Each structure stands twice: as structure tokens, then as C-alpha cells.
């Protein structure tokens, strides 16, 4: 059973790397976008986190070592960010269709926004190595988004480019509106984080060889 989990994680890792590399074509192949812009997207950051936690989890999985609690917490936070980025992107797509805007989504983007978030949630739920996390871990989910938002706003003002329209004060009517959008997104992140922590507290299945 451990080998099955390991093989599935290897497949997910390869898929994530393919999607990230394909999404980066605009930097390294066509030269149509800046690397600094591409790696400023929350979705790209979340998927890089997924790659890192998968690598670490696979290490413990391969050695048949029960994962430490900090790794379960890292997987919970990564799962939270993946779900939030996928949900947010889905809402943007729906609104674009309602406003009759053309929104081209390449396969790599669909994988990053929808397929991998679904996998991250399933991995967190089904792999029986997780710990029962304390509720305070949910509050840690605020650290990275806060730092990312500060970086995005500062760099956006300097570079004149923002990864998402709702963070651009020139488009939404000033920083007060940006703060409102950011507060809503922060509340959503916290909500998802608490739900993921709740999932970690569900009964954990035992492997046949345990």
C-alpha cells in the first residue's frame, strides 16, 4: 500500500513539474513575459510549495518513516493555498464569461488551478500518515499570504504590474478597495485553512502492513 501512495505521488510530482515548466514557456521559450511577473502569481507559488512538500513526503514514504507533525502542517497549509487559488481562478473565469470576456486557459493552467488542487486535497485526506493538527495551525496560513501581498503591492507600484486586478489600486479605485478585496480573500483563506485542519482531525485509516 505504501508503494501505491509513493507511485501516485511520483505521478503528481511529474504532472506538477510539467505544468510549471509549460506555464513558464512565456519566459524561457517565447520571451513574452517576465520571470519576476510569472513567479509573482499566488498559484505558481502554491504549486511550487506542493512540489516541495511532495518531495519531502516521498522521502519519508520511501523510507517507511511516519511523517513528522510539521510536515502534516505544511501539507495542510499547501492544500489550503491550492484550494484558494483554484477557487479564485474559477470565480474569475465565471465572471469573465458573464461579462463576455474571452479567457483563454491553456492545459497547463487548468492543471495548476484545478487538477493539482483536487489532488492535494485527496492526498491530504487519503494518505494515512497525517497527524491530528491543532486548530492554531490554521492561523499560520495568514503568514505567507500577508508577506506575498506586501511584496505584490510594493513591486506592483514600482513595476507598474500586478498579478491580479483586485490588487491594482489604479483599477479598483484606490488602496481602500484593495484592502477590502484583500480582507475578503484573507477571510476565505482562513476559512479554508480551518476546514483543512478539521479534516486532519478525522479518523485516520491504518495501512495493512501497520
Amino acid at each position: 500500500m505504501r508503494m501505491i501512495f509513493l507511485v501516485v505521488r511520483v505521478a503528481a510530482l511529474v504532472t506538477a513539474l510539467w505544468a510549471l515548466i509549460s506555464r513558464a514557456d512565456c519566459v524561457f521559450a517565447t520571451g513574452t513575459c517576465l520571470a519576476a511577473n510569472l513567479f509573482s502569481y499566488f498559484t505558481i507559488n502554491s504549486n511550487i510549495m506542493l512540489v516541495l512538500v511532495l518531495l519531502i513526503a516521498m522521502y519519508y514514504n520511501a523510507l517507511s518513516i511516519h511523517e513528522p507533525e510539521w510536515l502534516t502542517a505544511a501539507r495542510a497549509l499547501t492544500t489550503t493555498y491550492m484550494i484558494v487559488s483554484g477557487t479564485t481562478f474559477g470565480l474569475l473565469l465565471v465572471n469573465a464569461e458573464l461579462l463576455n470576456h474571452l479567457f483563454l486557459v491553456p492545459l497547463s493552467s487548468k492543471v495548476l488551478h484545478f487538477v493539482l488542487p483536487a489532488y492535494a486535497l485527496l492526498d491530504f485526506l487519503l494518505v494515512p500518515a497525517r497527524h491530528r493538527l491543532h486548530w492554531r495551525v490554521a492561523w499560520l496560513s495568514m503568514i505567507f499570504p500577508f508577506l506575498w501581498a506586501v511584496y505584490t503591492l510594493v513591486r506592483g507600484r514600482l513595476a507598474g504590474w500586478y498579478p491580479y486586478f483586485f490588487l491594482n489600486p489604479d483599477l479598483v479605485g484606490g488602496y481602500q478597495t484593495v484592502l477590502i478585496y484583500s480582507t475578503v480573500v484573507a477571510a476565505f483563506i482562513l476559512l479554508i485553512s480551518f476546514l483543512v485542519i478539521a479534516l486532519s482531525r478525522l479518523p485516520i485509516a491504518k495501512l495493512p502492513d501497520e
Side-chain angles (χ1 to χ4, degrees):
M1 187 64 71
R2 291 183 187 276
M3 185 57 64
I4 294 176
F5 289 133
L6 182 59
V7 170
V8 172
R9 278 175 162 171
V10 169
L13 177 64
V14 171
T15 301
L17 289 173
W18 168 82
L20 286 169
I21 293 172
S22 297
R23 185 66 181 83
D25 275 355
C26 64
V27 176
F28 304 108
T30 63
T32 55
C33 69
L34 297 176
N37 288 354
L38 178 64
F39 292 102
S40 293
Y41 283 102
F42 191 85
T43 298
I44 298 297
N45 299 154
S46 301
N47 278 274
I48 291 175
M49 289 181 191
L50 178 65
V51 168
L52 294 176
V53 296
L54 275 178
L55 284 171
I56 298 172
M58 286 163 55
Y59 168 78
Y60 284 98
N61 198 174
L63 296 180
S64 297
I65 301 175
H66 197 68
E67 72 177 36
E69 187 172 355
W70 64 263
L71 180 53
T72 300
R75 292 204 295 126
L77 296 180
T78 300
T79 300
T80 296
Y81 301 147
M82 295 288 288
I83 292 173
V84 169
S85 63
T87 303
T88 303
F89 188 72
L91 291 174
L92 292 176
L93 281 180
V94 170
N95 288 329
E97 292 179 1
L98 292 176
L99 296 174
N100 294 320
H101 289 316
L102 181 62
F103 211 143
L104 299 177
V105 184
L107 179 59
S108 59
S109 187
K110 292 178 181 177
V111 171
L112 292 171
H113 287 99
F114 303 127
V115 176
L116 290 173
Y119 167 76
L121 179 59
L122 289 174
D123 183 270
F124 187 77
L125 277 174
L126 300 180
V127 177
R130 71 175 187 272
H131 290 265
R132 191 172 185 268
L133 297 175
H134 194 281
W135 294 109
R136 63 173 174 269
V137 174
W139 294 99
L140 297 179
S141 66
M142 292 288 95
I143 297 176
F144 172 70
F146 175 77
L147 296 175
W148 175 84
V150 171
Y151 157 79
T152 299
L153 290 175
V154 172
R155 183 179 181 273
R157 180 52 61 187
L158 295 175
W161 180 90
Y162 297 83
Y164 305 103
F165 79 91
F166 52 83
L167 293 176
N168 187 340
D170 298 327
L171 290 181
V172 299
Y175 284 103
Q176 184 175 5
T177 307
V178 170
L179 179 60
I180 294 174
Y181 275 115
S182 299
T183 301
V184 172
V185 173
F188 182 56
I189 292 174
L190 195 58
L191 172 62
I192 298 300
S193 184
F194 271 105
L195 290 176
V196 172
I197 298 304
L199 292 176
S200 79
R201 302 168 74 85
L202 293 175
I204 300 175
K206 296 294 183 180
L207 293 178
D209 56 343
E210 290 184 327

